[in-house]
Amino acid sequence: MGFAVKTLGKIIRSVQAFGRELSRKPLSAVPQAPAIGVALGGGFARGIAHIGVLKVLEEEGIPVRAVTGTSVGALIGACYCSGLTLEEMEEVARNTRFTTFARWTLSRFGFASNDRMIAFLTRTLKAKTFEELRIPLGVTATDFNTGQGVLFSSGPIIDPVRASCAYPGMFLPVRLGGRYLVDGMLSHPVPSRPLREMGADRVIGVHLKGTWSSGGAPRHLFDVIGQSFAIAQDAMSSLWRDAADVVLEPDVAGFAYDDFKRSGELIRMGEIAMRNALPTVRKWLEAPQATYPGVERRRAPRVSPMPAD
């Protein structure tokens, strides 16, 4: 009996000592890697450069915990977050042309409809809702009537991506949830702030800077619209740059808005820009400064509720 009592006493003292040790060194104090997010800006065919950025991050083993996208950035982000491999995305880019997701139409609201994007995304994406994505995604669009930015991160994916890509003057607005929505570039040229709202601790912003004309006279109406967007983006840059830890600007100035046939070159421009920023990004992982909660637990809802049609 005495031996049993002594043994039980040792066990109790050991448990108490273990409890005191835990109280001195809480698990929450152990530094963890920050949640790195990538904010992909708009730029039509030039957005293929985003694939190069994601390719380098994957090759270097740098985990992407969340993505936000505007316009073509929303399209690229949806493909990546749904589970397409980089090889599959490169193949899609090589085979994509303007008519893959757009058709010319006669309308007072625009010259083309992007309704073909429905079939394109249906056969391309490996998930149909935001909840099914392997990586959290936020898609931005702009309310045409109010100018308010709208963030989608729940429910079906395809229509929010279409709305984000509804380039004013070229594509018809997309009616969704009782609103007419147009390109997210009007409110979030590079959606770094929405990415912060989704819980990213470190933000890589990708800005597809570049003039849309050759420096001389514009070729057509779309050059005029595109150059106007570029000017507006520069004027708004402080609104999103402050929320980004690193800003990448792939050299896409020599590419036209519809240069889908040069996808390989565009991907290369994205790779170069990301590799130049790797030393900074690696430091985030080498010397984390605090404990970072998982971004999955802080997924943002839409910016505002949208009434049903």
Side-chain angles (χ1 to χ4, degrees), residues 225-245:
I225 296 172
Q227 180 66 357
S228 299
F229 259 92
I231 293 168
Q233 278 186 289
D234 285 343
M236 296 170 61
S237 64
S238 62
L239 299 178
W240 59 264
R241 285 182 185 271
D242 291 346
D245 296 287

Side-chain angles (χ1 to χ4, degrees), residues 34-90:
I36 296 174
V38 183
L40 305 175
F44 219 69
R46 295 172 176 181
I48 294 173
H50 292 321
I51 298 175
V53 172
L54 297 169
K55 183 177 180 180
V56 171
L57 289 170
E58 194 162 290
E59 288 176 348
E60 296 297 321
I62 297 171
V64 175
R65 300 285 300 283
V67 176
T68 50
T70 287
S71 197
V72 67
L75 176 59
I76 297 294
C79 290
Y80 184 69
C81 293
S82 77
L84 267 72
T85 66
L86 271 302
E87 292 77 13
E88 288 172 328
M89 291 178 66
E90 290 184 54

Side-chain angles (χ1 to χ4, degrees), residues 46 210-219 223-224 226-227 253 255-256:
R46 295 172 176 181
T211 58
W212 284 66
S213 67
S214 61
R219 297 171 299 166
D223 270 353
V224 175
Q227 180 66 357
F255 296 85

Side-chain angles (χ1 to χ4, degrees), residues 2 20 37 79 109 111 118-119 122 139-140 155 206 242 246 249 282:
R20 288 193 297 271
C79 290
F109 300 126
F111 290 95
I118 298 173
T122 298
V139 169
T140 65
V206 188
D242 291 346
V246 167
E249 294 189 319
R282 285 200 184 102

Side-chain angles (χ1 to χ4, degrees), residues 137-150:
L137 171 69
V139 169
T140 65
T142 305
D143 185 313
F144 178 77
N145 291 307
T146 67
Q148 178 188 15
V150 180

Side-chain angles (χ1 to χ4, degrees), residues 134-202:
R134 68 183 184 94
I135 298 172
L137 171 69
V139 169
T140 65
T142 305
D143 185 313
F144 178 77
N145 291 307
T146 67
Q148 178 188 15
V150 180
L151 174 67
F152 294 91
S153 61
S154 63
I157 299 172
I158 291 176
D159 280 341
V161 172
R162 287 183 59 225
S164 187
C165 295
Y167 197 77
M170 177 179 290
F171 292 118
L172 310 182
V174 173
R175 190 168 188 265
L176 181 59
R179 294 180 177 181
Y180 286 97
L181 302 175
V182 293
D183 202 304
M185 282 203 297
L186 288 170
S187 52
H188 296 290
V190 178
S192 53
R193 290 190 179 278
L195 190 54
R196 291 284 188 192
E197 294 171 7
M198 290 178 64
D201 300 300
R202 296 291 188 178

